Amino acid sequence: MEQRTLLALMVFSSLIVLAETNDQKPAVEIYSLHVDCKVTSRFAHTVITSRIVNRANESREATFEVELPKTAFITNFSMSIDGEVYPGIIKEKAAAQNEYDSAVSQGQSAGLIKITDRKLEQFHVSVSIAAASKVTFELTYEELLKRQLGKYELLIKVRPKQLVKHFQINVHIFEPQGIHFLETDSTFMTNELTGALTKEQNETKAHILFKPTLEQQKKNSELDETLLNGDFVVRYDVKREATAGDIQIVNGYFVHYFAPQEMPVFPKNVIFVIDRSGSMTGRKIEQTRDALLKILQDLRQEDHFSFITFNHKVVEWKSSLLPATEENVASAAALVQTLTARGGTDISGALLAAVGVLDRAEGLPEHSVSMIILLTDGQPTSGERNVEVIQENVQKAINGNYALFCLGFGFDVSYKFLEKMALSNGGIARRIYENADAALQLQGFYQEVATPILMQIEMQYPENSIEGLTKNNFKLFFEGSEIIVSGKISNELDLLPVEIKAQSHTSNLTLKEEANIKEKEQVFQNQRYIFGNFIERLWAYLTIQQLLEKAISAQEEDQKALEAQALDLSLRYSFVTPLTSMVVTKPQQQEELANKPTEADNEKPRKLPAGASLQRLHSRMPGEDDSGMFFLSGNCIYLNNNFIGEEPWGCNAIMSKTQILFFFSSSPVVFGLRGGRLADRWHSDLHSGSNRKMFSTVSRFRHAKIAQPIASEHPQLLLQLPRQNERICLNIDERARTSVPLLSDPEQGLTVMGKLGDGINHFVQFDINYVNPPVQIHVYTHAILVSHNNNNNWLSWTMSTSSTIQGLTVSVEKEKSVTASLPDTVTVKISLVRFPEDFLGLYFLNTDRFSDKVTGVLGQFYSKAQFGSNSNNDQRAVERLLRVSGSDHKVSRLYKKDYRLESASEPVSCWSIELTP
């Protein structure tokens, strides 16, 4: 059986070649691998060339993968096999997908490009090469380097997985302003490899060459294993004078760089809006706490700040902003350390509360910058859930007065929603990746926006002499970043005048500059570092990026016009952007598409956008040959076990007494309603307005098919009646917020109390008390406390463990359950449920050991519960009469999720009853 050996290089990027071998030496060998990068005035042009030979006596497949920056645009790709060249052709995305339908699946990319990292995306293509044949891959991409925290950075991840005879990374940098500093760093550099690295630098140029020999690449002289495995980083910055920036001109196109230094920093008025919903539990909330504690220490004394935390409830730490004094920072740190995660996600309520705090703020510095920083990891599930309504309401409330920055933690969040909201309110969005360095990502983002030094920046140029001007008005400028404006000089000017107007902390600022066009053109004459008309390509690159960004927050009609402009430039300058595709033709006329993904594409698929209503489900209606079931519970709609949407009036409030099922097949439907008010409302809505289409579809079917029931919620308590094959789903009146006496059995020496959560209507704490031995077990969603003779022992949910005290064994199964067992005594078991909200589920094993003296809200069912003799015991019955402790209760059959670990994963049928303690 053929083996595969992974051969890789990552550069800005990473190149991976998969070669099949039958022994330690690769049959498909990379004999040359060159990465050539020319950086001219921040604009980087990178060419990766890999030459491979198949030394086997049969055909082998090689896979070429390059990881390039998300901000880069691929401009060219080709394969050359035995002299035959197979180029990549860039076309409009929609046209390419239609034309090459065999290369795509349901309108999605064939997979040649995918996001792999918070900074990188991967280009991937494979080809079969004949015995003794050679193939050359060449990929070109371009990007404009972004200045962050006072430096530009080239990241080179080196991981070839084999020795390469001709290996080199060659970086040329030309900065006419002058190079202020240059440094390289590496995670794999050894004394042997240091000799392979050379750096040359003068006033405006730098050359970095990394060219290790085969011997230098080896881990040791006896093994053919490579040392090259890690990060190689080039960092630099340019020199700046206290002027209106630097203007560079080539062939009628100009670029203007502006990054003032040593200016006073505006005081900040910042509100941190922190998601503490159930999905933030565990590592996320821990990393958030760590980052916030560091960020608090970075606040300046002249700053004002506050916190708003939210799940389904919005909590304001203080009613107003506080100055960042040592005392207030310490008080905030104490709050941060107590943050726990549970409940729903009311993004709208939290943001509007933050705007309200800023609107009401008094005594703030006259010249200051106000901003809101939102951190969330999920969809809006409480309060207003329609994302379009949230975006509109937030934009109206902010009214251009404050900047909104949105951080999306992980991949359950709708990045498109956050990005549009941020861009519409003068901020930016950023995804925080769930890695070990998530806390550092959060801190790094804050550092980028922590030092605003200019507001309301206007970059002015002669209107009649400039065409295609890129964005020239900016709301904020942060220290360590850079403003870039580019355009085409349309008239024959000798001088290009520039005027910059802005507000600094101390005054209104006006800067003027005139650029001598001929002198500026001379700077780039006969420079071997230059690639073509680089400023024109820089202008096209910057224009496309800004058009796509502007389209995100534009109305639909304007969005189409902006995308049309971006598409035209993408095709004209051969850029693979989100609007274009590269068609890669391989031997035997095989074709594949390379589509550039966006950050919004890099998240878990959702069945329907957040906030979508039933009216939007029409395209999902079953066809004539479909078979399955619609199900509604708690206002949430399911189709064949998949959540597909919600009713127009929302999907948040769980109504345990309401279930609606639609069974459908190629023959028509059985339509069943359970529950009163909601069922009537649903029936009315089905027959009105745009929902008639759905009802019409359903009514086409004539006969029912039995379908597997679906359960959308857990009961508070679930128990099996003794000596009866019946299950009870018990719900306690939600007004019972104090401890609930669930069970007491004096003969067993056992008492169990429970506490309902605040707003989630499930138990979040159980207290188990034993008489002999005298042990108290307090079970919380975050930990377990075992107390005995004034000795406390905390047990964590994050690891499996057990302890025994005088025959009583308390055992924890990691992130699943805790069990308390004592010989000849009922076993108590508590399940931990992490989704959608953290809560606990209680049940008992060996219940035949309960005595007839057992009491309590739950305990009475083990001794004093019996279905009435005249009660309908038909398995199809939906209502019965249950006598408990001398009182009759009408119970309804429902399907519920089963939190008991011993049970099957299917939903269970149970008789639902509600009690008030």
Side-chain angles (χ1 to χ4, degrees):
M1 190 173 186
E2 295 176 334
Q3 293 179 308
R4 285 195 168 186
T5 301
L6 182 67
L7 317 171
L9 163 73
M10 290 191 225
V11 168
F12 257 104
S13 84
S14 117
L15 171 69
I16 301 173
V17 177
L18 298 173
E20 299 175 4
T21 82
N22 290 315
D23 51 41
Q24 290 184 349
K25 292 186 178 181
V28 177
E29 178 190 351
I30 306 172
Y31 63 89
S32 176
L33 185 54
H34 287 191
V35 179
D36 294 297
C37 181
K38 292 181 179 179
V39 183
T40 308
S41 292
R42 292 72 146 173
F43 197 60
H45 175 92
T46 302
V47 181
I48 299 174
T49 307
S50 176
R51 293 180 171 85
I52 300 172
V53 60
N54 178 10
R55 301 194 185 282
N57 55 9
E58 59 185 355
S59 296
R60 297 294 171 91
E61 184 179 80
T63 299
F64 175 81
E65 293 180 355
V66 171
E67 288 191 77
L68 60 151
K70 291 178 183 176
T71 52
F73 293 155
I74 291 174
T75 63
N76 191 34
F77 172 74
S78 67
M79 293 182 294
S80 177
I81 304 175
D82 292 335
E84 185 76 20
V85 178
Y86 300 88
I89 301 172
I90 297 174
K91 297 187 177 184
E92 179 187 359
K93 185 175 183 178
Q97 288 183 337
N98 289 332
E99 185 176 350
Y100 301 98
D101 195 41
S102 61
V104 297
S105 174
Q106 298 179 350
Q108 300 299 312
S109 166
L112 293 193
I113 303 180
K114 63 181 180 181
I115 291 177
T116 58
D117 184 81
R118 65 176 177 270
K119 294 181 179 179
L120 303 172
E121 62 191 24
Q122 183 188 82
F123 175 85
H124 167 113
V125 68
S126 60
V127 64
S128 178
I129 52 177
S133 292
K134 294 181 179 180
V135 58
T136 298
F137 296 103
E138 185 173 284
L139 181 76
T140 304
Y141 62 85
E142 295 174 351
E143 69 160 337
L144 181 59
L145 300 182
K146 184 178 180 181
R147 187 171 185 252
Q148 289 181 309
L149 301 177
K151 58 182 177 290
Y152 309 97
E153 182 176 285
L154 305 183
L155 170 64
I156 302 170
K157 290 193 176 181
V158 180
R159 194 172 59 195
K161 294 288 186 177
Q162 79 168 91
L163 303 175
V164 180
K165 185 175 182 180
H166 302 290
F167 177 93
Q168 72 174 37
I169 298 172
N170 200 10
V171 179
H172 291 272
I173 300 172
F174 176 45
E175 292 289 352
Q177 287 177 254
I179 297 174
H180 174 57
F181 79 88
L182 175 76
E183 64 183 25
T184 61
D185 192 13
S186 172
T187 60
F188 59 81
M189 196 64 65
T190 63
N191 290 334
E192 290 77 10
L193 287 172
T194 301
L197 175 65
T198 59
K199 289 190 294 183
E200 298 175 357
Q201 179 184 346
N202 59 25
E203 183 69 17
T204 60
K205 299 176 185 176
H207 178 212
I208 301 163
L209 178 64
F210 181 58
K211 190 176 181 180
T213 65
L214 283 173
E215 288 302 313
Q216 288 173 320
Q217 295 175 44
K218 289 183 179 181
K219 280 189 175 180
N220 60 59
S221 57
E222 297 179 359
L223 296 176
D224 288 343
E225 294 182 13
T226 180
L227 281 167
L228 307 183
N229 185 9
D231 294 349
F232 183 87
V233 182
V234 179
R235 300 184 187 93
Y236 77 96
D237 196 17
V238 300
K239 295 179 180 179
R240 291 178 174 82
E241 298 177 1
T243 64
D246 184 70
I247 298 173
Q248 298 171 17
I249 301 172
V250 172
N251 294 338
Y253 284 85
F254 80 91
V255 59
H256 183 187
Y257 297 104
F258 180 58
Q261 300 184 105
E262 298 179 357
M263 300 191 71
V265 177
F266 278 102
K268 296 189 304 298
N269 312 310
V270 57
I271 298 184
F272 300 96
V273 182
I274 307 299
D275 185 346
R276 56 182 180 89
S277 63
S279 55
M280 284 284 290
T281 194
R283 195 179 187 192
K284 287 183 185 176
I285 200 69
E286 291 173 5
Q287 291 175 320
T288 300
R289 284 196 297 258
D290 292 344
L292 290 175
L293 290 172
K294 297 280 195 333
I295 288 170
L296 283 170
Q297 299 304 314
D298 290 338
L299 289 171
R300 297 168 180 262
Q301 287 189 349
E302 59 271 23
D303 292 339
H304 287 70
F305 75 104
S306 190
F307 280 93
I308 288 178
T309 62
F310 70 95
N311 48 24
H312 51 278
K313 291 188 175 182
V314 176
V315 178
E316 296 181 14
W317 174 53
K318 302 291 182 183
S319 59
S320 61
L321 289 131
L322 299 182
T325 63
E326 186 175 342
E327 181 181 359
N328 288 335
V329 168
S331 177
L335 165 77
V336 167
Q337 289 172 327
T338 64
L339 286 179
T340 57
R342 71 181 189 195
T345 311
D346 186 1
I347 294 175
S348 177
L351 287 176
L352 293 178
V355 176
V357 172
L358 286 171
D359 285 344
R360 298 190 305 268
E362 297 178 353
L364 300 179
E366 183 177 354
H367 297 289
S368 58
V369 173
S370 296
M371 62 178 70
I372 299 169
I373 299 178
L374 167 69
L375 171 65
T376 182
D377 77 328
Q379 308 286 343
T381 63
S382 297
E384 178 59 63
R385 294 180 303 283
N386 187 306
V387 295
E388 293 176 356
V389 173
I390 294 173
Q391 289 163 345
E392 182 180 347
N393 290 344
V394 169
Q395 186 172 1
K396 184 178 179 181
I398 289 178
N399 196 29
N401 295 322
Y402 321 120
L404 172 62
F405 300 93
C406 296
L407 304 179
F409 206 143
F411 296 94
D412 290 314
V413 70
S414 172
Y415 188 82
K416 192 174 288 186
F417 160 55
L418 295 182
E419 186 176 35
K420 181 175 181 178
M421 195 158 54
L423 291 174
S424 300
N425 294 284
I428 60 172
R430 181 79 55 83
R431 190 189 297 281
I432 303 299
Y433 280 66
E434 296 180 57
N435 298 335
D437 68 342
L440 292 176
Q441 294 177 56
L442 290 169
Q443 294 169 53
F445 173 83
Y446 175 75
Q447 288 171 0
E448 290 179 41
V449 301
T451 52
I453 58 176
L454 289 179
M455 294 175 58
Q456 308 302 332
I457 306 102
E458 295 182 23
M459 315 278 284
Q460 299 178 353
Y461 308 87
E463 292 183 8
N464 298 327
S465 302
I466 302 297
E467 293 179 359
L469 189 67
T470 61
K471 181 179 177 180
N472 65 326
N473 290 282
F474 304 87
K475 187 170 184 176
L476 291 171
F477 176 78
F478 299 98
E479 189 175 55
S481 62
E482 185 172 56
I483 288 175
I484 304 175
V485 180
S486 186
K488 182 180 180 181
I489 304 171
S490 57
N491 294 338
E492 293 188 6
L493 298 177
D494 294 326
L495 298 174
L496 176 63
V498 176
E499 183 175 81
I500 301 174
K501 293 183 177 181
Q503 297 177 20
S504 73
H505 178 41
T506 55
S507 64
N508 291 331
L509 189 69
T510 300
L511 299 172
K512 294 184 179 181
E513 184 81 20
E514 280 188 335
N516 186 303
I517 293 176
K518 289 186 178 180
E519 289 181 3
K520 292 290 184 181
E521 292 260 14
Q522 284 294 321
V523 173
F524 296 97
Q525 295 298 318
N526 303 318
Q527 292 286 351
R528 66 185 181 92
Y529 285 60
I530 306 306
F531 52 95
N533 298 327
F534 85 94
I535 293 184
E536 181 179 352
R537 295 191 64 80
L538 183 156
W539 166 81
Y541 171 97
L542 189 59
T543 302
I544 292 168
Q545 279 209 329
Q546 292 179 356
L547 286 169
L548 292 175
E549 185 178 279
K550 193 174 179 181
I552 291 171
S553 57
Q555 297 297 321
E556 185 175 356
E557 191 171 320
D558 294 333
Q559 186 181 64
K560 290 180 179 179
L562 293 166
E563 289 180 347
Q565 294 177 56
L567 173 61
D568 179 66
L569 288 173
S570 300
L571 294 173
R572 196 190 315 169
Y573 289 92
S574 295
F575 287 136
V576 178
T577 71
L579 302 174
T580 56
S581 294
M582 175 175 282
V583 181
V584 177
T585 303
K586 299 193 291 187
Q588 291 82 47
Q589 300 302 309
Q590 295 177 339
E591 292 166 344
E592 293 183 89
L593 296 185
N595 295 335
K596 183 176 180 64
T598 65
E599 186 61 58
D601 298 326
N602 191 30
E603 53 195 38
K604 296 177 182 178
R606 302 187 71 246
K607 301 297 181 182
L608 205 67
S613 65
L614 177 64
Q615 284 91 331
R616 299 177 64 182
L617 298 177
H618 297 156
S619 63
R620 302 289 303 277
M621 291 302 102
E624 295 287 354
D625 299 324
D626 287 336
S627 178
M629 180 183 70
F630 281 108
F631 177 87
L632 172 72
S633 181
N635 299 14
C636 301
I637 303 169
Y638 295 79
L639 172 61
N640 291 339
N641 288 332
N642 291 316
F643 170 77
I644 60 170
E646 62 195 31
E647 298 176 312
W649 54 91
C651 183
N652 188 45
I654 299 299
M655 296 188 173
S656 60
K657 286 190 174 180
T658 305
Q659 295 181 323
I660 300 177
L661 296 90
F662 301 85
F663 299 86
F664 64 89
S665 66
S666 53
S667 342
V669 80
V670 165
F671 175 33
L673 291 174
R674 298 191 187 133
R677 177 185 60 80
L678 183 58
D680 293 339
R681 186 174 184 180
W682 173 260
H683 189 274
S684 172
D685 278 18
L686 274 173
H687 286 85
S688 63
S690 58
N691 287 329
R692 288 185 185 132
K693 181 177 179 181
M694 176 178 177
F695 188 76
S696 173
T697 304
V698 172
S699 65
R700 289 200 305 264
F701 304 121
R702 299 182 190 219
H703 303 288
K705 261 192 181 180
I706 297 176
Q708 174 64 44
I710 306 170
S712 66
E713 60 180 348
H714 290 89
Q716 288 179 354
L717 297 167
L718 185 63
L719 66 127
Q720 187 90 22
L721 287 181
R723 298 172 295 279
Q724 301 179 59
N725 187 28
E726 300 289 0
R727 281 178 294 268
I728 299 295
C729 291
L730 179 60
N731 290 297
I732 309 298
D733 191 304
E734 62 180 8
R735 290 171 293 181
R737 291 300 168 207
T738 56
S739 292
V740 180
L742 295 174
L743 183 142
S744 178
D745 191 336
E747 294 192 6
Q748 288 276 299
L750 174 66
T751 302
V752 181
M753 305 287 288
K755 185 176 181 181
L756 289 168
D758 185 10
I760 69 170
N761 208 25
H762 279 287
F763 285 94
V764 296
Q765 178 181 339
F766 288 112
D767 300 313
I768 309 167
N769 292 281
Y770 287 90
V771 175
N772 187 21
V775 175
Q776 298 80 46
I777 307 170
H778 306 280
V779 182
Y780 309 92
T781 55
H782 62 277
I784 302 104
L785 174 62
V786 181
S787 300
H788 172 62
N789 291 340
N790 296 321
N791 292 320
N792 293 329
N793 181 25
W794 283 97
L795 304 178
S796 172
W797 283 111
T798 60
M799 60 184 296
S800 296
T801 185
S802 66
S803 65
T804 301
I805 303 171
Q806 298 179 19
L808 173 63
T809 300
V810 181
S811 57
V812 179
E813 185 176 358
K814 179 182 177 181
E815 293 290 345
K816 288 186 177 180
S817 67
V818 58
T819 305
S821 58
L822 187 66
D824 302 320
T825 304
V826 171
T827 297
V828 184
K829 196 146 189 174
I830 296 172
S831 296
L832 174 65
V833 181
R834 288 294 195 194
F835 184 82
E837 297 166 322
D838 289 4
F839 68 88
L840 303 170
L842 169 71
Y843 59 108
F844 300 94
L845 306 177
N846 307 317
T847 57
D848 57 324
R849 295 175 180 172
F850 278 125
S851 73
D852 57 5
K853 296 179 181 179
V854 62
T855 60
V857 175
L858 180 61
Q860 61 184 330
F861 286 86
Y862 290 104
S863 61
K864 304 176 182 67
Q866 186 70 42
F867 280 102
S869 57
N870 295 326
S871 180
N872 186 354
N873 59 5
D874 190 332
Q875 291 299 310
R876 293 170 295 179
V878 296
E879 288 187 348
R880 295 182 70 182
L881 201 63
L882 179 66
R883 178 173 288 270
V884 184
S885 298
S887 299
D888 291 335
H889 300 268
K890 186 179 287 187
V891 295
S892 303
R893 186 191 296 275
L894 295 179
Y895 285 94
K896 295 287 185 179
K897 291 183 179 179
D898 194 344
Y899 57 66
R900 300 173 302 175
L901 299 182
E902 284 77 10
S903 64
S905 59
E906 290 81 9
V908 295
S909 168
C910 62
W911 296 103
S912 179
I913 181 173
E914 290 193 7
L915 294 177
T916 301

